[in-house]
Amino acid sequence: MVPGGSACKEVLESHLTTSDYDIASTNSSSNSPLRKSSTGFIGKHGSNSKNGVHDLLECSVCKKLMYPPIHQCPNGHTLCSNCKFGVHNRCPTCHYDLGNIRCLALEKVAESLELPCRYQNLGCHDIFPYYTKLKHEQNCHFRPYNCPYAGSECSVMGDIPTLVAHLKDDHKVDMHDGCTFNHRYVKSNPHEVENATWMLTVFNCFGRHFCLHFEAFQIGMAPVYMAFLRFMGDDNEAKKFGYSLEVGANGRKLIWQGIPRSIRDSHRKVRDSQDGLIIQRNLALYFSGGDRQELKLRITGRIWKED
């Protein structure tokens, strides 16, 4: 039994939405290197313009904003501490040896600056001292989310409405309204698990969106199937909901109950933590009935809001 699971809990099933799925490897249909946002595409730094001192604080090598220690060569060319080691202590502009010269003046100037959040165009209008801006941006409520689609390297980022539209239009993901579901996953050759198999359904429930994942992979040498739910929002909001998944046949049943994981956590992180309903292949084939040569697995579940 995986953490948080229960093998003997009864779950009320009613008004279930039924869907059948043929399990197949899928590829992303979006090849765009740009990142979507609610206001369109955002650039590399999330900012449309830079000037003055802001430009001086940009590392000449990696083009990111510099934080102490800021280094300079004898001719005054600056770069960040990470890039100093990457260029083998030689100035990339004039090729002089860098030595260990700190640009204390620029560090002091940075200390006096106040700058807007890089996600200003996504709705964050707060202003921050230069040295606290980075920490804020790492946890900013308005920072875009990565596309939650699994099985491909999709680079699209954006707010939740943008990603919902992207999943529907570009990845052709099934969309359902309601908080209960009844899915049947079918695979003609269940012994093929070398290449991970992905399925994803998006549910609109309580005015929020949830991603239901189902896939085949291996834990060590053991082939398994796994189903789990992710919340399209931040972790503090995800904890306001609960969900259950149930699979079984022939008088036997497995039940998983847990809290959906935020899509801030990558799909792989959730999968590798085994935070979901895990079904060994032999048991899955037993649940499928017949001669156990074809996977026909029915998974029911529901989502609820915690008090």
Side-chain angles (χ1 to χ4, degrees):
M1 185 186 304
V2 292
S6 171
C8 59
K9 180 176 178 181
E10 293 294 333
V11 176
L12 178 64
E13 301 176 29
S14 62
H15 307 293
L16 297 175
T17 301
T18 303
S19 302
D20 285 0
Y21 293 90
D22 289 325
I23 302 176
S25 296
T26 56
N27 295 314
S28 169
S29 59
S30 174
N31 296 316
S32 171
L34 296 174
R35 302 179 293 167
K36 289 182 182 177
S37 73
S38 59
T39 56
F41 292 106
I42 59 178
K44 182 172 159 183
H45 298 288
S47 175
N48 293 324
S49 64
K50 293 175 287 189
N51 51 56
V53 178
H54 190 277
D55 282 340
L56 294 176
L57 287 165
E58 185 180 84
C59 175
S60 61
V61 179
C62 66
K63 304 303 180 184
K64 296 178 181 178
L65 293 179
M66 296 183 289
Y67 294 87
I70 298 175
H71 297 275
Q72 70 175 37
C73 77
N75 290 325
H77 303 121
T78 58
L79 74 167
C80 69
S81 56
N82 288 335
C83 291
K84 178 178 183 289
F85 295 102
V87 298
H88 305 292
N89 208 42
R90 185 173 294 274
C91 177
T93 303
C94 66
H95 307 297
Y96 270 71
D97 287 341
L98 289 169
N100 291 300
I101 307 173
R102 288 273 295 275
C103 188
L104 299 178
L106 192 56
E107 292 179 9
K108 194 69 176 177
V109 168
E111 189 176 336
S112 66
L113 291 179
E114 290 189 341
L115 297 173
C117 173
R118 67 182 297 183
Y119 305 120
Q120 184 180 41
N121 62 330
L122 297 179
C124 183
H125 302 299
D126 292 332
I127 305 295
F128 299 91
Y130 185 85
Y131 290 138
T132 62
K133 174 176 175 286
L134 184 63
K135 183 177 180 180
H136 159 78
E137 289 172 348
Q138 291 172 343
N139 298 285
C140 179
H141 177 71
F142 293 95
R143 73 193 190 280
Y145 297 88
N146 293 305
C147 172
Y149 193 81
S152 64
E153 295 298 327
C154 183
S155 61
V156 171
M157 299 179 69
D159 61 8
I160 299 304
T162 297
L163 290 183
V164 170
H166 164 68
L167 289 169
K168 179 180 179 182
D169 297 337
D170 298 334
H171 293 296
K172 310 304 179 185
V173 168
D174 289 332
M175 301 283 169
H176 293 279
D177 292 324
C179 300
T180 57
F181 47 89
N182 182 351
H183 288 351
R184 192 167 68 104
Y185 298 99
V186 180
K187 186 173 177 63
S188 58
N189 186 358
H191 297 283
E192 293 180 353
V193 294
E194 291 81 5
N195 296 318
T197 303
W198 324 95
M199 288 299 303
L200 173 64
T201 307
V202 173
F203 292 91
N204 181 4
C205 176
F206 298 109
R208 309 308 299 268
H209 289 88
F210 301 81
C211 301
L212 176 64
H213 293 265
F214 180 81
E215 64 184 76
F217 66 105
Q218 291 187 203
I219 298 178
M221 298 299 293
V224 299
Y225 297 98
M226 182 175 177
F228 56 92
L229 197 72
R230 295 167 76 199
F231 174 72
M232 296 188 71
D234 286 333
D235 185 63
N236 60 334
E237 297 177 276
K239 293 176 181 177
K240 299 177 182 178
F241 299 92
Y243 78 101
S244 64
L245 298 173
E246 178 180 314
V247 63
N250 303 318
R252 292 161 178 83
K253 185 182 296 184
L254 286 178
I255 293 177
W256 165 268
Q257 181 172 317
I259 298 171
R261 295 281 287 271
S262 166
I263 60 172
R264 295 286 188 203
D265 288 338
S266 70
H267 163 270
R268 183 172 295 277
K269 180 178 179 180
V270 179
R271 190 197 74 178
D272 290 350
S273 69
Q274 301 179 32
D275 191 6
L277 175 66
I278 296 179
I279 314 157
Q280 299 291 334
R281 184 173 66 190
N282 287 340
L283 185 57
L285 292 175
Y286 177 77
F287 288 155
S288 299
D291 56 6
R292 303 190 186 185
Q293 297 302 308
E294 184 179 26
L295 182 75
K296 294 181 179 179
L297 205 58
R298 184 176 298 279
I299 296 181
T300 62
R302 67 185 183 101
I303 307 168
W304 63 85
K305 195 168 185 178
E306 300 286 359
D307 295 331

